[in-house]
Amino acid sequence: MKFWENISLAFKGGGERSRPPLGRSYIGTYGGASFSGEAPFSYEGRVREAYVDNAVAQRAVRIVAEGVGGAPLASMDDAIAALINATSAGQSLLETIAAHLLLHGNAYVQVMCGVDDQPAELFALRPDRITIESDKKGWPVAYAYRAGEHQTRFAAQDAMGRPAIIHIKAFHPTDDHYGLGCLGAAAKAVAVHNAAAQWNKALLDNAARPSGALVFDPGPEGSALSADQFDRLKAEMEASFAGSGNAGRPMLLEGGLKWQSMSMTPADMDFVALKAAAAREIALAFGVPPMLLGLPGDNSYANYREANRALWRLTILPLAGKILDGLSGALEAWWDDAALAVDRDQIPALSEDRERLWSQVSEADFLSPEEKREMLGIGVRKNAK
């Protein structure tokens, strides 16, 4: 079942709806240059165009997802730590969940219990295979997972109120059940960036020479080319002068023929600025400072260190907090204290913030040592009175 079919079932009381087209013509302007192309509007098309074929979008997603997966976690129960730090289909569980949230806007984690009826493994399911089933009032009652011809139905909760599927979603202002990913906002910029790369490659294949046309001047007698002459001339042009292998070959024109360039030059179309503007918009959609992706002309940050700190503050930590809150809220059905959080003290990018806090607290003479330790999150010493 396709993503848009899932979306049509998400609205309360919604029935069958026609599927939108997989592609839609897009015309826009980036960096002073105009462009028209196809922006994929299906989830599979967006993932293929963005994550698979676009280096900027793939790197942006991987920076954020790997940051979430590698974020140091605060101390927790050993059984919970084994679940969180395990892999899902060979990938880090938290990294996979973060990537699903960025791309799809939804992450579904199956809770698989052992013989003791305790969670033994958390497995991240592909979100595009999940359909949410709701009751007459619009509340989700089950999750249907389809892989090929096989479909598995998971109840939202068992008799004891424990979930079989943990659903973590991004905010969607017009949908009750499904979250909104970043691919929709980045799809047009991805289409622009990919088309610019294809245009540049085609230009290089033609030895960086813009195309043109042979103009026939009939002269005062007004004779025109016959059909056979036109076909022969066209075949000779394609065989002798098209392609990079024929670059620079001299062209011998018969009487009445002259060459006229028709396409704009790369300087006129400004494809360098076009690709840079599209790449910056892709980075913006995924919350990554363009400087970290090696994009030129970014003066928003004083240095690389400040951009990395902004990435953790504005993107990685909020996303990690959403994921950990969703997992801990579901695991509390088995453990009373299943709180999960990122240990900010162990994040190198935020070390300067921590040093500044330590300096401010240590200089506060009106605070007792125990109060200072509590403010820093260290806790009171056992021998303190």
Side-chain angles (χ1 to χ4, degrees):
M1 181 172 291
K2 302 297 183 181
F3 172 69
W4 280 102
E5 294 177 351
N6 298 345
I7 289 295
S8 66
L9 297 176
F11 295 93
K12 297 180 180 179
E16 292 292 332
R17 301 188 180 184
S18 59
R19 186 184 305 174
L22 298 183
R24 185 179 303 169
S25 178
Y26 170 71
I27 300 176
T29 302
Y30 283 81
S34 61
F35 165 80
S36 62
E38 292 294 327
F41 280 83
S42 70
Y43 177 70
E44 294 85 354
R46 287 173 176 174
V47 170
R48 182 173 57 255
E49 295 290 332
Y51 193 81
V52 178
D53 295 339
N54 189 275
V56 177
Q58 182 181 131
R59 185 54 184 158
V61 172
R62 294 190 63 176
I63 284 179
V64 178
E66 291 175 359
V68 173
L73 301 181
S75 59
M76 67 191 81
D77 185 88
D78 293 340
I80 300 178
L83 292 174
I84 301 301
N85 296 326
T87 60
S88 176
Q91 301 293 329
S92 169
L93 176 65
L94 295 180
E95 180 181 340
T96 304
I97 295 175
H100 286 169
L101 278 176
L102 289 172
L103 295 173
H104 192 278
N106 299 270
Y108 302 92
V109 182
Q110 181 183 359
V111 182
M112 297 188 292
C113 296
V115 294
D116 57 353
D117 205 24
Q118 294 292 313
E121 183 180 356
L122 299 178
F123 186 82
L125 302 174
R126 278 182 49 175
D128 56 313
R129 294 179 174 177
I130 295 288
T131 303
I132 299 178
E133 299 179 3
S134 58
D135 58 14
K136 295 181 179 179
K137 296 182 179 180
W139 298 105
V141 295
Y143 300 90
Y145 179 79
R146 181 183 295 275
E149 298 298 328
H150 180 72
Q151 178 172 323
T152 305
R153 188 176 184 274
F154 301 94
Q157 292 182 346
D158 59 13
M160 301 181 63
R162 298 177 300 188
I165 299 293
I166 303 175
H167 182 196
I168 306 173
K169 65 178 181 178
F171 174 70
H172 196 310
T174 60
D175 202 301
D176 296 321
H177 300 149
Y178 295 93
L180 180 63
C182 301
L183 278 182
K188 295 179 181 178
V190 167
V192 171
H193 195 271
N194 288 347
Q198 294 171 3
W199 189 92
N200 287 336
K201 181 181 181 302
L203 184 65
L204 292 175
D205 290 341
N206 200 33
R209 295 175 181 268
S211 62
L214 281 178
V215 180
F216 176 69
D217 185 6
E221 299 180 359
S223 60
L225 290 174
S226 65
D228 294 338
Q229 290 176 326
F230 179 83
D231 293 338
R232 179 180 62 85
L233 184 60
K234 180 179 179 182
E236 291 179 355
M237 285 289 298
E238 293 178 351
S240 302
F241 302 102
S244 58
N246 296 321
R249 295 187 61 180
M251 180 182 296
L252 179 60
L253 301 179
E254 300 179 6
L257 293 177
K258 64 178 180 179
W259 176 261
Q260 179 177 346
S261 179
M262 295 182 62
S263 63
M264 292 184 292
T265 65
D268 294 333
M269 301 191 74
D270 200 5
F271 269 86
V272 175
L274 169 94
K275 290 191 65 177
R280 290 171 64 87
E281 186 170 341
I282 295 171
L284 174 65
F286 291 103
V288 178
M291 177 182 290
L292 301 182
L293 298 176
L295 300 179
D298 185 9
N299 299 321
S300 301
Y301 300 95
N303 50 41
Y304 186 90
R305 182 185 305 173
E306 182 62 29
N308 192 35
R309 186 183 299 121
L311 172 68
W312 276 90
R313 287 175 178 173
L314 304 178
T315 303
I316 295 180
L317 286 179
L319 183 61
K322 177 186 289 293
I323 294 173
L324 295 176
D325 289 344
L327 294 176
S328 61
L331 294 178
E332 286 179 353
W334 288 273
W335 291 277
D336 293 334
D337 186 11
L340 301 172
V342 176
D343 188 357
R344 302 194 177 199
D345 295 344
Q346 300 183 30
I347 300 177
L350 303 180
S351 59
E352 293 184 3
D353 297 345
R354 196 63 180 175
E355 292 176 1
R356 188 180 303 108
L357 177 61
W358 287 346
S359 177
Q360 293 175 349
V361 172
S362 62
E363 295 176 359
D365 298 335
F366 55 90
L367 295 176
S368 65
E370 287 73 21
E371 291 173 336
K372 293 180 180 180
R373 294 174 64 87
E374 184 178 357
M375 289 185 63
L376 296 176
I378 301 176
V380 182
R381 292 171 294 182
K382 295 182 179 179
N383 58 354
K385 297 183 180 178

